[in-house]
Amino acid sequence: MSTSASVPTEPEDAIDDGRTVTDRLVAANGKYAAAFSDPGMDARPVLRVAVVACMDARLDLHAALGLQLGDCHTIRNAGGVVTDDVIRSLTISQRALGTRSVALIHHTGCGLESLTEEFRHDLEMEVGQRPAWAVEAFRDVEQDVRQSMQRVRTSPFLVHTDDVRGFVFDVTTGLLREIDPS
């Protein structure tokens, strides 16, 4: 398994220069910006597709799907589940920015498979306030992809629901497996 070359993986590799990870990110952005030139792109994705996927750090969506900057809208959250906020983003993506297709990507070994809605209760006990959001945990990744496809297809806010497809990305092989919506 490979890890990021910019983050130490062993204590002896650690550089204790007093900088935080965010400091390192800001420094990296400075180098990026020094060589940056405006690509002159529109906010409308060239391929007219929105990809909804899990936030898992093992998913390099652009590489896995052969995408380039400007090709798609990428919407990520824990589990890649279709929540009200995902519907909001998809609605803006379709109605204001021209997307027509939706690809939903969950993955093997997702952390939401090991959580339950009890997580919300535990948070409430710890901080004294119950979260307004659902955890959206699941036990069956394929069934959750089907549920997510159904949520997109039945949303009254989305106007393009005939090209909605769901997949499970295998984190050990890098392959997508399409999920039958029925």
Side-chain angles (χ1 to χ4, degrees):
M1 180 174 167
S2 65
T3 60
S4 172
S6 62
V7 178
T9 57
E10 301 295 330
E12 62 270 10
D13 296 334
I15 300 169
D16 188 10
D17 59 6
R19 294 188 309 163
T20 67
V21 171
T22 304
D23 291 335
R24 292 178 192 170
L25 297 176
V26 171
N29 174 255
K31 291 177 186 173
Y32 172 79
F36 184 80
S37 62
D38 181 0
M41 294 179 176
D42 190 305
R44 298 171 189 273
V46 173
L47 299 179
R48 297 169 54 160
V49 63
V51 178
V52 178
C54 185
M55 66 186 192
D56 192 294
R58 296 172 291 180
L59 277 66
D60 182 349
L61 291 174
H62 277 74
L65 301 174
L67 296 168
Q68 299 297 315
L69 182 66
D71 282 348
C72 71
H73 283 160
T74 305
I75 304 161
R76 296 181 80 156
N77 67 19
V81 295
V82 175
T83 61
D84 286 345
D85 193 58
V86 168
I87 294 294
R88 171 182 121 0
S89 293
L90 287 172
T91 301
I92 293 166
S93 178
Q94 286 189 359
R95 291 180 177 262
L97 297 166
T99 60
R100 300 290 181 264
S101 301
V102 178
L104 304 169
I105 302 177
H106 285 33
H107 66 90
T108 58
C110 185
L112 282 188
E113 292 175 296
S114 63
L115 289 178
T116 66
E117 291 298 322
E118 188 69 19
F119 182 76
R120 290 175 68 211
H121 174 73
D122 294 344
L123 281 173
E124 180 180 13
M125 293 297 100
E126 180 182 327
V127 302
Q129 181 178 340
R130 187 170 185 83
W133 40 264
V135 174
E136 297 278 354
F138 51 85
R139 294 278 179 246
D140 182 336
V141 67
E142 291 185 15
Q143 182 55 34
D144 202 68
V145 170
R146 286 186 196 93
Q147 176 177 297
S148 290
M149 284 190 282
Q150 185 66 15
R151 286 179 177 174
V152 171
R153 288 187 173 130
T154 59
S155 173
F157 306 109
L158 300 173
V159 290
H160 302 286
T161 59
D162 28 325
D163 188 13
V164 177
R165 294 171 64 184
F167 303 88
V168 174
F169 177 86
D170 187 313
V171 298
T172 60
T173 67
L175 289 173
L176 286 177
R177 179 171 35 90
E178 188 157 8
I179 303 301
D180 184 346
S182 53

